[in-house]
Amino acid sequence: MDFCLIFSAFSIFSFLAYHTSIAADTLTPNQNLTDGQTLVSSNQIFELGFCSPANSGRKYLAIWYYKLPLTVVWVANKDKPINDSSGSLTVSLNGSLSVYNGSMAIVWSTNEMIAGPNQIPIVLQLLGTGNLVVRKQDETDANNDYIWQSFDHMSDTLLPGMKLGWKLKTGTKNIITSWTSPDDPSDGEFTFSLDPPETPQLILRKGEQKLYRWGPFDGDRFSGSNELRNNTVFKPIFVSTSDEIYYTYETLADSTLVRSIVTSLGSIQYLTWRNSSQGWSIISELNRFYCDRYGMCGPYGNCYTDDPNCRCLNGFVPNSTQDWRMFSTLGGCKRRYNLNCSNGDGFVKYKPVKLPDNAVLWTNYSLDECRVECLKECDCMAYTIINALGNGSRCVVWLRDLIDLRDFPNGGEDLYIRMARAELDSIADSNRRRRIKVVIAITLSTACLLLFLAILCWYIIKRSKRRVEEESISMPIVHDNNSHKYYEEETLDEDLELPIFGLSTISDATDQFAFSNKIGQGGFGPVYKGELANGLEIAVKRLSQNSGQGVREFKNEVILIAKLQHRNLVRLLGCCIQGEERVLVYEYMPNKSLDNFLFDRVKRKLLPWERRFSIILGIARGLLYLHQDSRLRIIHRDLKTSNILLDSDMNSKISDFGTARIFGGEQTEEKTRRIIGTYGYMSPEYAMSGHFSVKSDVFSFGVIVLETISGRKNWGFYDPEHDYNLIGHTWKLWNEERSLELVDEMLDGSFSVNEVMRCIQVALLCVQQRTEERPLMSTVVFMLSNENVELPQPKEPGFVTENSPFKIDSSWSGQDSNTGNQITITAVAGR
Ligand SMILES: *[C@@H]1O[C@H](CO)[C@@H](O)[C@H](O)[C@H]1NC(C)=O
Ligand SMILES: *[C@@H]1O[C@H](CO)[C@@H](O)[C@H](O)[C@H]1NC(C)=O
Ligand SMILES: *[C@@H]1O[C@H](CO)[C@@H](O)[C@H](O)[C@H]1NC(C)=O
Ligand SMILES: *[C@@H]1O[C@H](CO)[C@@H](O)[C@H](O)[C@H]1NC(C)=O
Ligand SMILES: *[C@@H]1O[C@H](CO)[C@@H](O)[C@H](O)[C@H]1NC(C)=O
Ligand SMILES: *[C@@H]1O[C@H](CO)[C@@H](O)[C@H](O)[C@H]1NC(C)=O
Ligand SMILES: *[C@@H]1O[C@H](CO)[C@@H](O)[C@H](O)[C@H]1NC(C)=O
Ligand SMILES: *[C@@H]1O[C@H](CO)[C@@H](O)[C@H](O)[C@H]1NC(C)=O
Ligand SMILES: *[C@@H]1O[C@H](CO)[C@@H](O)[C@H](O)[C@H]1NC(C)=O
Ligand SMILES: *[C@@H]1O[C@H](CO)[C@@H](O)[C@H](O)[C@H]1NC(C)=O
């Protein structure tokens, strides 16, 4: 926790000096522990005493790490801090613990005690695990038979060995509760628990609301979680017996300190102490991704890590197409064909997914019965067979709509979903068609091969005959046909100066468009990495088919685009046209795209502020060239961080420009019915009505700038304090004059405040709701590169939340909007 480190900077020394350890790890009923005295575990890892987190001045009885900067792992009197240093702890003969304040009022106490009048001597001990226990004096901790233990009363920390789960006999449940804030350990809004005991899942709730969920357990992991698996630092353990059922973990090396916490902002983290940096570092964070959030895609929606995040399962369509177009996917999907329980429903197997919520364990059914029984039960929407209790395969079913699914290709579980007869028929149909196609293809190719061999034989025979007859004949040219020229390998068409590649060259270079070579997915088709026979690395964009364009038309467009050359644009090297296939060949950028760096915890550190600023400037210049300075006027229409590539010197280059134009030739029109683009980057007018202009690119540029500054995504942005996306969040911070809080913490405070503020302001100008208020790229470049220009005040941005594009809290817009009149920019960067 950050505060501990901050705290340590100025107070750890006084803190250590001030505490005097009782030099023992036990306290007996006739002793008391006053503020200033501590118990230290025998292995010298944990310490118990009174402390004041973040120097709040309020005192709590707590356990923390001995010798480390104050890092509290457990708190007794969470809700009732002691106002001064007069607190004391006693253990009474009957085994109950009490904390008193200066006037001997009880601030905190426990109820557990030993039964009966003949009381046995007891002792309070701080164990090496960080567990504070009350036990019988003559019993060691061997059998875990404690009268009371702090591990049963968790705070925000799960230490190795703590059991998150249920004691089935007593029905008691151990959960983690976040602190209210880093200096206030009273119960916060977030709880993390293992629920329900019948089909255990890990759930993070905010109040009653499920925010994140992983499960059920499948024998190896909680479904949908990659982080909670065996790793080099700790080993997660799930135990299910008739007495108890819990999740816990153990460290793999005794000398490493690991703890897991739920922060006051609701993030679940595993941290480990690093001797080298003398600080806690995060080894994993469970709830990090868009798809981790509960039910983002609604019932029967499946969440993907790439765009678009939400898609309906096969056989389902958006419940409300209108809503989905407005990015509101919470309504989920509905069946294409309705079920009819009495008329031949069946099951379809889906590719590995994170299993949905509300699983029910049918322990009394065998595996064979599982499918049959689920089919009989009309409400049974899906079933699967998993090792849910860790001791053998079980039948698991879902008795209501399937929610919170996620695409999980590596490590997900198969799911069998109930489908209507009509859907099964259509699947069978398409399978049959596919089989027929395969058969035809095999037959045809065999026939072709035979024909080819026949011709070859004939030719060889003829040639040898001729050679015998006529010694001096030269080799005949077989396909001497002009129109064929385009399909030849790497022909350079003189008047066009654009290499046309043969499909076989491209196919060889990319290993037949192998999936492993796929490096991206653009609005018009996938992009592959390839290597030509001469060693040159290329990026190959395979346009999706049905462009409806003729060869000549397509070629003309490509040639125009190829003539656009600027240091901030990716170079088009050539194209390939063959049959239906349309392929564009670009220079390959070894550092891949900006999003690769920005949204990666580790790689983000490779982008210091100066680099980010020059990347932003580069994008602005490239875009200005596209909009104004080139002979064509190109509107990109799908500008996003994954379309910003980085060369080996980390210069930014825009890619995928002009594709819309090549593809449809619709570029000159003002409105299009085919909306390409990416959630989070599309301007409101484009997303809602298909209107596009250079100003829609300006909007996307603004989003990219905000993402570059913050290292966070606009789409999928999550802040526990509000529902706004990154744009909304920035606008909120701007109006509260807290803009610098937006800056990526990985920058560690080293950046030019002036440049950052300028970029934020420019970005806010770019994402303004009204198109006419947004600046042109020429103005943007001017504003970014001139330090002394006074910038106009931004007005309300568009799309401030994910789900309701136009909702905006009016309290923010209270700022005087007349300040916009002070526009002082008169000079506009010339051509
Ligand atoms: C604890 O000890 C201090 C000093 O020895 C004494 O003043 C105080 O009353 C004791 N508190 C309890 C609860 O016994
Ligand atoms: C601390 O002070 C506050 C008000 O100043 C009071 O309400 C509270 O009861 C005190 N707490 C204790 C434990 O003395
Ligand atoms: C246990 O002992 C303490 C102190 O002697 C007393 O305050 C408490 O009420 C006792 N608890 C029970 C249930 O008897
Ligand atoms: C102890 O707590 C009681 C009740 O909360 C309060 O009335 C009293 O003032 C506190 N004493 C001190 C010294 O804080
Ligand atoms: C987990 O990893 C540790 C060491 O990396 C290994 O010893 C142990 O067998 C693994 N456990 C499982 C269940 O894979
Ligand atoms: C598996 O665990 C469950 C729950 O703990 C228990 O009821 C069941 O008997 C166990 N089954 C086997 C085969 O051990
Ligand atoms: C860190 O340092 C402490 C004491 O200096 C030592 O006991 C411990 O083994 C070290 N941990 C690791 C992982 O090296
Ligand atoms: C799907 O749409 C219908 C009406 O269009 C509505 O009644 C229903 O609640 C929607 N379902 C969900 C899950 O939003
Ligand atoms: C379901 O199928 C049965 C038998 O074919 C038919 O009689 C019934 O009307 C169907 N129900 C619905 C709701 O379509
Ligand atoms: C299995 O359990 C369910 C619910 O507990 C019950 O309705 C069903 O009859 C049981 N089936 C068998 C075969 O015991």
Side-chain angles (χ1 to χ4, degrees), residues 22-79:
I22 296 197
D25 61 350
T26 56
L27 194 71
T28 52
N30 55 15
Q31 295 175 306
N32 78 25
L33 185 84
T34 56
D35 192 338
Q37 295 177 316
T38 61
L39 297 185
V40 175
S41 65
S42 58
N43 60 2
Q44 304 222 315
I45 291 185
F46 292 100
E47 187 170 14
L48 169 82
F50 288 90
C51 78
S52 170
N55 259 2
S56 59
R58 295 182 297 267
K59 289 300 188 88
Y60 298 91
L61 177 71
I63 299 174
W64 60 83
Y65 289 94
Y66 184 58
K67 286 184 183 163
L68 297 192
L70 182 65
T71 308
V72 172
V73 297
W74 182 80
V75 179
N77 52 327
K78 295 187 199 188
D79 300 318

Side-chain angles (χ1 to χ4, degrees), residues 23 89 155 161 203 267 426 458 487 507 510 530 537 539 594 599 602 611 648 657 683 690 699 725 730 743 765 809:
L89 166 73
S155 172
I203 301 180
S267 162
S426 94
W458 170 76
Y487 310 134
S507 180
T510 58
E537 289 186 315
L594 180 57
F599 308 129
V602 178
R611 180 54 62 203
S648 47
F657 52 90
S683 60
F699 184 95
N725 61 13
T730 311
V743 179
L765 289 169
D809 186 339

Side-chain angles (χ1 to χ4, degrees), residues 6-18:
I6 298 163
F7 173 70
S8 70
F10 50 89
S11 69
I12 182 62
F13 301 107
S14 57
F15 173 76
L16 284 179
Y18 158 75

Side-chain angles (χ1 to χ4, degrees), residues 233-362:
V233 182
F234 65 91
K235 180 173 146 193
I237 298 166
F238 171 71
V239 174
S240 162
T241 68
S242 48
D243 286 347
E244 50 184 358
I245 179 160
Y246 58 86
Y247 164 76
T248 186
Y249 66 99
E250 60 188 31
T251 50
L252 292 178
D254 282 343
S255 60
T256 41
L257 300 179
V258 182
R259 66 196 171 103
S260 164
I261 62 164
V262 175
T263 68
S264 51
L265 297 180
S267 162
I268 308 167
Q269 301 173 344
Y270 280 79
L271 301 108
T272 186
W273 177 260
R274 299 247 187 257
N275 275 351
S276 53
S277 60
Q278 287 292 300
W280 291 96
S281 75
I282 298 176
I283 30 184
S284 70
E285 188 176 347
L286 261 53
N287 44 350
R288 201 155 32 120
F289 298 108
Y290 182 80
C291 286
D292 283 332
R293 278 181 72 186
Y294 183 77
M296 285 314 274
C297 302
Y300 302 105
N302 199 2
C303 196
Y304 288 78
T305 45
D306 53 345
D307 291 315
N309 291 106
C310 284
R311 303 172 209 173
C312 289
L313 290 167
N314 286 338
F316 293 81
V317 293
N319 191 23
S320 156
T321 327
Q322 183 73 12
D323 284 355
W324 276 60
R325 206 175 293 138
M326 309 239 294
F327 318 134
S328 170
T329 52
L330 298 180
C333 307
K334 61 181 182 212
R335 294 176 182 278
R336 202 157 47 176
Y337 302 104
N338 284 331
L339 294 175
N340 184 342
C341 199
S342 56
N343 190 19
D345 289 348
F347 289 98
V348 173
K349 177 176 169 179
Y350 279 75
K351 289 207 202 81
V353 287
K354 165 183 173 180
L355 295 174
D357 193 12
N358 301 316
V360 174
L361 192 62
W362 274 357

Side-chain angles (χ1 to χ4, degrees), residues 90-98 100 106 110-113 119:
T90 61
V91 46
S92 43
L93 284 166
N94 59 19
S96 74
L97 297 176
S98 310
Y100 298 90
I106 292 188
T110 64
N111 295 322
E112 286 86 349
M113 66 208 104
Q119 285 163 352

Side-chain angles (χ1 to χ4, degrees), residues 230-232 235 252:
N230 213 356
N231 58 47
T232 54
K235 180 173 146 193
L252 292 178

